[in-house]
Amino acid sequence: MSIRIWSIVLIWALSVWAVAQQQSASVISEILVRGNQRVLKEVILAQMRTKVGQPYVQETLDKDEQSVYDLGFFTAVDIRPTPLEGGNYRITVDVQEYAEIKEIRVVGNKAVKTEEILAVLTIKQGQVFNLKAQKETSNAIRDLYSRKGLLLAGINEFGPLAESPGTINIEIVETMVGTVSVQGNTRTKDWVMKRLIKTRAGETFSLTKWSNDLKRLWNTQWFETVDSTEDTGRELGTIDLTAQVKEMKTGMFNVGVQLDPRSSFAGVIRLSEANLRGSGQSVGLNFIQATRGGGPSVDLDYTNPFFDEKDTTLRVSLFSRLVYRFTNAFGGGQQVASTDDFNERRTGGSVGFSRPVDDYLSLGLSGRFETVKTNNIGKALGDFIQQDGSVAVISLGSILNRRDTDVDPSRGDWLRIDVEPGFSRITDVGGSVASNQGIKGNKTFLKSTVEYRRYWSPDPPRGRELDAPRRVIAGRLKVGNIAGTSPFFEQFFAGGSDSIRGYDEDRFWGNNMFVGTLEYRQPIQKSFNAIAFIDYGGAWGGYGSVNNFTQSANPKFQVGFGVGLSFRTPLGPIRLDLGFDDKGKSRTHFLIGTSF
């Protein structure tokens, strides 16, 4: 290397050393903060590494300028050194604050009210706008939408308006529904699918609403599978929805023998169609002849879930049923009395309407009229309760259904409240109430019932796989009261397959009822569950006693417990339980359908 080059390097090194020596010898004697009105000077100084009495270092000042800006309160920050006599420096910090927030304006929101959005914001009127609040506030808005089951496409603008610095403008972009379509419904009419799917093109996309639509399809039990796809790729800020279904056989014709909780064996002919010509309407005809005799039971049912444009459901039923009183369930042991069992022939009909208020709540109004005739009582003097006549009942009810599915639910709850004013006309009395002639004639009563069901699962939510097996803890509480004079056959009955297992069917009756049930359901296969249960409760304040079926005028509760199995079959759900009463005696209960 030449002498000239060495000279240049040496001169440069000496210059750098001299500047460093000068800076190290220079001390900051003053820091002046200007432009701040609402942000305290101490807050700004605390953010800086540069302090009075420390050496002046330009690199540190450059970092301080960024640190002060990062406070988020300022639109501009300028930090400059000014040399003073004696080699000292004055540091001047010039800041320009964001304006005080006078107004917060939210635009673009349709599905969420502005008041709800303002409530979650971290910025408030009267504060200085802070740029750092953008991320925190944006996250709060996204969380709000998520809690409501809504999908936020983004926040386009968030900050002061150029023409009005005191106005904070938040422009929200909600995800909108592009198209809604269905695939796989070859039999079910398109208009029926549209009535079941409430999500519409052009509205804000709600994941909760779309999930409820899929659940509504599944709960019809017209489809083997229900799934969906959501495509967000067609256009920014929109989502295209497709419900994918696989239809199943909904018609059934069955001739055979069934087990019945009251009559043991019965011959049955069942004809039904749950989706008549793809219209969603259902019809059913049941004919049952029990081995105990007494004649057949016949039911004719019709349901139209789309009776009007507001999805009102119409239900009509005509029936002539034989009810066997106090007979043993399948495998139940000895008869109640040595005489022949008595029964009731109940003939009449009902018509009812129910209408959804929202995705979870529905209201109903129905009427029922029937005549009742007690039969087979010739040999059972005193061992029966006869109250023959007619009854008319109006039912006002509401159902709140927040279960994940109606078929084998694993989460959520279900509440039903019914108020039933009734009128009865009793023409004949006999048996244990023969001497009570005061119950004959025209009487009125008011029957009130509340039933609540709750479901828990330690397993993850089912999500889209609505029939996925889940371990479930299920609880049910049913309470009833009757005011006025009600016929025997209108009172509450407890005991047997659907209330307190381990006891005879209808073992307890009266004007009051309390029944609680707790079950643990362990899936063995997809449509097969093992169950452990405990039942507690009873009914009281009713008419007389029949043989060993003594009754109580006051609350007197019984406990039943046991194990069972439940199956889902093409003919419907089936349940078999082995129950024990409080004395350890066992009974086997057979139920067509689910308990709850």
Side-chain angles (χ1 to χ4, degrees):
M1 183 179 296
S2 66
I3 296 176
R4 183 177 180 182
I5 293 176
W6 274 110
S7 299
I8 294 173
V9 171
L10 179 61
I11 293 172
W12 176 83
L14 289 173
S15 299
V16 171
W17 178 82
V19 171
Q21 288 295 108
Q22 182 181 3
Q23 286 196 356
S24 64
S26 302
V27 176
I28 297 171
S29 61
E30 181 183 1
I31 300 178
L32 179 63
V33 178
R34 302 185 303 189
N36 60 309
Q37 298 178 7
R38 297 179 63 87
V39 180
L40 296 177
K41 171 185 175 181
E42 289 75 14
V43 173
I44 298 173
L45 293 178
Q47 194 71 8
M48 298 173 56
R49 297 180 184 177
T50 301
K51 307 294 180 183
V52 173
Q54 292 182 350
Y56 161 66
V57 178
Q58 182 61 47
E59 182 181 358
T60 302
L61 285 183
D62 294 338
K63 293 179 179 179
D64 286 344
E65 186 170 283
Q66 184 62 45
S67 296
V68 173
Y69 183 80
D70 288 343
L71 283 172
F73 293 112
F74 311 110
T75 60
V77 177
D78 184 26
I79 300 180
R80 295 177 180 271
T82 302
L84 302 176
E85 293 182 1
N88 295 331
Y89 278 84
R90 175 194 301 123
I91 305 301
T92 303
V93 181
D94 287 311
V95 296
Q96 183 177 342
E97 292 181 351
Y98 282 104
E100 178 184 333
I101 299 174
K102 303 293 185 182
E103 178 188 3
I104 302 176
R105 182 184 301 172
V106 181
V107 297
N109 55 308
K110 297 178 181 179
V112 179
K113 295 180 180 179
T114 299
E115 294 78 9
E116 295 181 88
I117 296 175
L118 292 176
V120 303
L121 300 185
T122 57
I123 59 172
K124 305 293 179 183
Q125 292 185 19
Q127 297 178 346
V128 176
F129 176 73
N130 191 321
L131 194 64
K132 292 171 66 176
Q134 284 183 327
K135 181 178 181 180
E136 187 177 352
T137 300
S138 297
N139 289 339
I141 295 174
R142 292 181 186 278
D143 289 344
L144 174 63
Y145 270 75
S146 178
R147 290 195 301 271
K148 290 180 171 290
L150 303 170
L151 185 62
L152 195 62
I155 299 178
N156 265 2
E157 182 181 344
F158 186 173
L161 292 175
E163 65 275 15
S164 178
T167 300
I168 304 302
N169 191 59
I170 303 175
E171 183 181 348
I172 291 174
V173 181
E174 297 177 340
T175 300
M176 309 301 291
V177 178
T179 61
V180 181
S181 58
V182 181
Q183 295 179 352
N185 59 314
T186 59
R187 185 167 180 267
T188 306
K189 308 293 185 185
D190 288 338
W191 68 265
V192 171
M193 303 300 288
K194 188 175 181 180
R195 295 289 288 271
L196 292 169
I197 297 175
K198 307 300 182 182
T199 300
R200 297 288 180 259
E203 68 182 21
T204 303
F205 172 66
S206 168
L207 180 59
T208 300
K209 187 174 183 179
W210 180 240
S211 297
N212 285 337
D213 288 339
L214 300 177
K215 184 173 70 174
R216 196 176 296 110
L217 293 175
W218 173 254
N219 287 338
T220 63
Q221 300 187 58
W222 304 338
F223 309 105
E224 289 184 21
T225 59
V226 175
D227 205 346
S228 74
T229 57
E230 296 85 30
D231 184 8
T232 58
R234 184 175 63 90
E235 183 179 343
L236 183 64
T238 64
I239 187 169
D240 295 332
L241 306 174
T242 303
Q244 300 166 325
V245 299
K246 181 181 179 181
E247 291 180 317
M248 62 186 295
K249 182 179 179 181
T250 56
M252 181 177 65
F253 177 69
N254 180 36
V255 178
V257 176
Q258 73 175 29
L259 295 170
D260 181 84
R262 288 186 172 87
S263 60
S264 295
F265 288 97
V268 60
I269 300 176
R270 182 174 291 114
L271 175 64
S272 66
E273 172 55 68
N275 188 11
L276 185 64
R277 296 183 178 179
S279 67
Q281 301 176 69
S282 66
V283 293
L285 172 64
N286 287 337
F287 179 93
I288 300 175
Q289 176 63 64
T291 56
R292 293 184 183 274
S297 293
V298 181
D299 286 81
L300 179 61
D301 302 304
Y302 168 77
T303 301
N304 183 356
F306 309 114
F307 182 71
D308 61 14
E309 294 301 319
K310 295 185 177 181
D311 291 341
T312 298
T313 297
L314 166 67
R315 293 181 177 87
V316 179
S317 179
L318 299 175
F319 55 84
S320 179
R321 301 169 183 151
L322 200 63
V323 178
Y324 296 90
R325 288 297 178 192
F326 316 125
T327 57
N328 294 319
F330 174 65
Q334 296 180 352
Q335 295 284 54
V336 173
S338 59
T339 56
D340 293 339
D341 300 319
F342 71 95
N343 57 65
E344 295 167 359
R345 170 67 64 178
R346 307 181 67 155
T347 303
S350 65
V351 57
F353 298 90
S354 63
R355 174 177 293 179
V357 177
D358 54 32
D359 286 336
Y360 306 103
L361 178 64
S362 62
L363 303 178
L365 171 65
S366 63
R368 168 173 56 90
F369 177 83
E370 58 184 310
T371 60
V372 179
K373 179 71 171 66
T374 307
N375 301 307
N376 198 32
I377 59 178
K379 300 179 182 179
L381 184 62
D383 293 333
F384 65 95
I385 296 177
Q386 178 185 10
Q387 288 183 351
D388 295 346
S390 58
V391 64
V393 177
I394 299 295
S395 179
L396 306 170
S398 64
I399 295 178
L400 179 66
N401 185 358
R402 297 181 294 197
R403 300 176 293 185
D404 54 355
T405 66
D406 291 351
V407 182
D408 193 19
S410 65
R411 276 179 169 79
D413 59 354
W414 183 95
L415 172 67
R416 178 168 185 160
I417 301 175
D418 284 312
V419 178
E420 299 176 285
F423 171 83
S424 66
R425 180 179 179 83
I426 301 301
T427 55
D428 293 302
V429 298
S432 63
V433 296
S435 60
N436 188 0
Q437 294 298 310
I439 60 179
K440 294 178 64 175
N442 300 332
K443 304 293 179 181
T444 60
F445 60 92
L446 180 65
K447 188 174 185 179
S448 304
T449 310
V450 177
E451 183 176 354
Y452 181 70
R453 306 171 183 177
R454 180 77 181 182
Y455 306 86
W456 300 267
S457 176
D459 298 325
R462 282 179 167 140
R464 297 293 175 81
E465 195 178 357
L466 296 174
D467 61 343
R470 288 292 183 268
R471 295 172 294 168
V472 179
I473 299 173
R476 177 175 66 173
L477 184 66
K478 193 172 182 179
V479 180
N481 173 261
I482 300 176
T485 303
S486 67
F488 167 72
F489 50 79
E490 282 294 319
Q491 292 189 328
F492 297 107
F493 290 87
S497 59
D498 196 32
S499 55
I500 311 174
R501 286 158 286 191
Y503 296 83
D504 297 271
E505 301 294 324
D506 301 338
R507 169 62 180 84
F508 312 100
W509 65 87
N511 289 325
N512 304 281
M513 176 193 62
F514 172 90
V515 175
T517 294
L518 188 65
E519 293 189 349
Y520 174 72
R521 302 168 181 174
Q522 173 68 46
I524 306 301
Q525 294 179 346
K526 197 168 188 177
S527 57
F528 178 29
N529 286 336
I531 300 164
F533 63 85
I534 182 170
D535 303 323
Y536 180 74
W540 66 95
Y543 291 98
S545 297
V546 175
N547 293 291
N548 296 324
F549 283 6
T550 56
Q551 301 301 302
S552 174
N554 301 310
K556 185 177 180 182
F557 300 142
Q558 313 293 329
V559 63
F561 58 93
V563 295
L565 299 173
S566 67
F567 311 84
R568 275 188 289 168
T569 73
L571 300 179
I574 295 175
R575 174 111 177 210
L576 184 66
D577 293 318
L578 176 63
F580 297 85
D581 62 15
D582 54 2
K583 295 180 177 58
K585 294 182 179 180
S586 65
R587 296 184 62 82
T588 304
H589 301 278
F590 182 81
L591 181 67
I592 298 176
T594 57
S595 56
F596 65 96

